Amino acid sequence: MYTTNLEFGKKQAEEAAQPEDADKVAAFEARVAADDYIEAKDWMPQAYRKTLIRQISQHAHSEVVGMLPEGNWITRAPTLRRKLILLAKVQDEGGHGLYLYSAAETLGISRDEMVDALLSGRAKYSTIFNYPTLTWADIGAIGWLVDGAAIMNQIPLQRTSYGPYARAMVRVCKEESFHQRQGFEIMTVLMNGNAAQRRMAQDAMNRWWWPSLMMFGPADDNSPNSAQSIRWRIKRMTNDELRQKFVDVTVPQAEAIGLTVPDADLKWNEERGHYDFGAIDWEEFYAVVRGEGQVARDRMAARRKAWDDGAWVREAAIAHEQKVAERAAVKAA
Ligand code: BYC
């Protein structure tokens, strides 16, 4: 089996068994409060490590599962130019997953353990990828709304308190910004097209708007992890703050190209300086988090198949590494 970081993981497990030293905790909290970055070899409370492993690995899983709905359209992109752009975007998402798995590995968990958590259903991935991509306009809506929501969430994560995660986010955000623009351009072209194309764009908007708002997670008063993550500066803004920012930025973009936001309660609130918007269907959100529905089952089946199909590559890499080590040992003897 392919594993990494085993020794490091053992060291962390031994550390976790010890009671935490109050002076170390105080010094750690002072560093976080001073906006210092915490690095892989620095001492950190076990709960901080655990939260980071949870969030970063789930973020990585989202990037990799996120390749599936768009990958579905690579062979059906309407032109060669669109195909090239989509191919590059999907490859970028795979790259994001790899940076993030690597960032999580610095915390002492192995890639095998993370993949196992995903495939056995113990780890989550973003709800947004459990919706189907029915038409080409969905690719525009994903780029514009889904990547748009992702950037809104990820820009503050460039200043998250864990150095390797923060640095991974810098490159991810640059690429997401290109993704968002290509999505908005697809929607703009469709809205400047014929009546059928405009209908297709509006239909995609209708289906992706609410799931995009759900990407930010439960409302703040229902978000069990937020308070501690904000205190540790893992999260720099709350779920509701980011959701509001996304609505405020995106509604004028929709209006600019003639799309209607599917929310009868959406209204600019002069006093607050923000849009008021309608109630989110949290029952739908939790059902999707639980992996209910055919699309979720298909996503997991695709990931399991990819992992099984890749077994020979992992085995070959290990065999090669062993051969190199054996040759080096013979040479040294
Ligand atoms: N989906 O206490 P809360 C992308 C879970 S990919 C599923 O607020 P937290 C892209 C949450 O995990 C974008 N589960 O949690 C790729 C927690 O359960 P656990 C992915 C969700 O962590 C390809 C529980 O609900 N981005 O950009 O403080 C193509 C309670 O929530 C969701 C990231 O992962 C959800 N939407 O805040 C295109 C960003 N929301 O773990 C685009 C990094 C919540 O305790 N992650 N849950 O069992 C974060 O910023 C935070 O983890 C969240 C949630 C804001 C998502």
Side-chain angles (χ1 to χ4, degrees):
M1 192 150 99
Y2 177 68
T3 46
T4 58
N5 273 351
L6 276 183
E7 287 308 312
F8 189 47
K10 259 189 240 156
K11 188 173 158 264
Q12 303 317 324
E14 282 161 19
E15 206 176 284
Q18 306 296 322
E20 283 180 350
D21 178 328
D23 289 345
K24 282 187 179 168
V25 174
F28 167 86
E29 285 183 349
R31 283 186 65 191
V32 169
D35 274 341
D36 203 358
Y37 284 115
I38 305 299
E39 297 297 340
K41 290 189 175 157
D42 294 345
W43 185 89
M44 62 187 83
Q46 281 305 319
Y48 177 83
R49 185 184 300 281
K50 211 171 147 203
T51 294
L52 279 170
I53 289 176
R54 177 184 63 80
Q55 177 165 328
I56 302 173
S57 64
Q58 292 187 167
H59 193 164
H61 299 325
S62 303
E63 299 283 356
V64 173
V65 176
M67 296 167 79
L68 298 170
E70 289 178 291
N72 185 35
W73 276 88
I74 291 173
T75 53
R76 291 181 285 163
T79 66
L80 180 61
R81 177 175 164 266
R82 293 292 185 199
K83 192 193 285 282
L84 288 172
I85 295 171
L86 185 57
L87 201 54
K89 180 186 188 297
V90 173
Q91 283 174 343
D92 285 350
E93 309 299 0
H96 299 172
L98 294 183
Y99 317 145
L100 287 162
Y101 282 128
S102 301
E105 281 178 312
T106 66
L107 291 156
I109 186 165
S110 73
R111 183 79 171 269
D112 269 359
E113 288 169 295
M114 288 186 270
V115 172
D116 185 57
L118 173 70
L119 299 184
S120 65
R122 281 178 287 123
K124 298 186 167 73
Y125 60 89
S126 183
T127 43
I128 196 76
F129 303 116
N130 284 340
Y131 291 86
T133 40
L134 304 179
T135 71
W136 172 250
D138 288 21
I139 300 306
I142 290 181
W144 171 43
L145 299 174
V146 174
D147 288 78
I151 303 177
M152 205 48 96
N153 166 281
Q154 287 166 186
I155 284 175
L157 289 176
Q158 293 177 109
R159 291 182 302 111
T160 190
S161 56
Y162 187 56
Y165 191 23
R167 288 189 289 275
M169 280 302 109
V170 173
R171 178 155 175 190
V172 169
C173 282
K174 286 205 173 90
E175 292 175 350
E176 296 290 16
S177 146
F178 149 73
H179 298 168
Q180 191 269 352
R181 282 170 214 196
Q182 67 86 38
F184 189 61
E185 198 246 355
I186 291 176
M187 295 305 260
T188 306
V189 168
L190 290 173
M191 289 306 286
N192 284 316
N194 61 30
Q197 287 169 317
R198 284 196 295 277
R199 267 199 310 276
M200 188 163 82
Q202 183 63 54
D203 171 61
M205 172 80 182
N206 295 348
R207 286 181 290 106
W208 288 93
W209 175 254
W210 290 104
S212 298
L213 297 195
M214 292 176 196
M215 277 178 78
F216 296 95
D220 291 350
D221 55 8
N222 228 349
S223 160
N225 300 299
S226 276
Q228 185 58 267
S229 287
I230 293 270
R231 258 199 304 282
W232 277 331
R233 303 198 178 180
I234 293 174
K235 282 166 92 164
R236 291 297 195 142
M237 293 177 78
T238 70
N239 300 356
D240 284 335
E241 283 167 351
L242 289 167
R243 192 171 5 251
Q244 180 72 62
K245 240 173 127 77
F246 174 76
V247 172
D248 291 348
V249 165
T250 312
V251 170
Q253 293 172 352
E255 284 169 356
I257 57 172
L259 281 166
T260 305
V261 178
D263 178 356
D265 297 322
L266 185 77
K267 196 164 173 277
W268 178 253
N269 183 324
E270 198 61 55
E271 214 174 292
R272 291 199 314 122
H274 292 291
Y275 281 95
D276 290 336
F277 54 95
I280 290 174
D281 182 348
W282 292 115
E283 271 182 38
E284 173 179 320
F285 170 78
Y286 287 112
V288 181
V289 170
R290 287 192 299 272
E292 288 176 17
Q294 188 56 43
V295 179
R297 285 192 284 277
D298 291 348
R299 300 288 183 242
M300 278 302 97
R303 288 311 313 152
R304 267 188 216 106
K305 182 175 184 310
W307 183 250
D308 294 344
D309 288 353
W312 71 271
V313 179
R314 296 189 295 278
E315 282 158 17
I318 291 169
H320 175 71
E321 210 172 281
Q322 274 167 355
K323 215 185 265 177
V324 170
E326 278 161 20
R327 277 192 201 134
V330 168
K331 220 173 170 185

